[in-house]
Amino acid sequence: IKEEGTVNSEKFVMPDFTGMSIRQILRMIHDSKIDIRIIGSGRAVEQSLRPGSIVNDGEKCWVKFQQPS
């Protein structure tokens, strides 16, 4: 396994998406095969897969977004 957000042999270290935009997240996971579900708009405030966890290609992760206040 490589550093966070990198791909190695169908495994992926889940990054902490907190504060990122949808575009930033999609660019970061482009080479992985994680199934991302977007909820809302704005900046990421919550995600279903724990940052730092090892995930396999095809795993599902939802990311909740909210507009900054």
Side-chain angles (χ1 to χ4, degrees):
I1 303 299
K2 297 181 180 180
E3 66 184 75
E4 189 172 279
T6 63
V7 177
N8 183 11
S9 302
E10 301 179 7
K11 300 252 186 221
F12 187 80
V13 179
M14 181 56 65
D16 183 356
F17 294 138
T18 304
M20 291 184 175
S21 68
I22 293 171
R23 180 174 289 150
Q24 288 173 312
I25 292 170
L26 294 177
R27 282 184 185 149
M28 180 177 280
I29 64 158
H30 180 262
D31 291 331
S32 78
K33 292 183 174 72
I34 295 173
D35 185 3
I36 292 286
R37 299 290 184 220
I38 305 299
I39 303 169
S41 63
R43 298 288 177 168
V45 294
E46 190 178 352
Q47 65 191 72
S48 63
L49 296 177
R50 185 175 51 88
S53 62
I54 306 301
V55 296
N56 296 304
D57 281 350
E59 282 199 56
K60 292 179 173 34
C61 177
W62 54 259
V63 182
K64 182 178 179 181
F65 294 82
Q66 287 183 343
Q67 293 295 328
S69 52

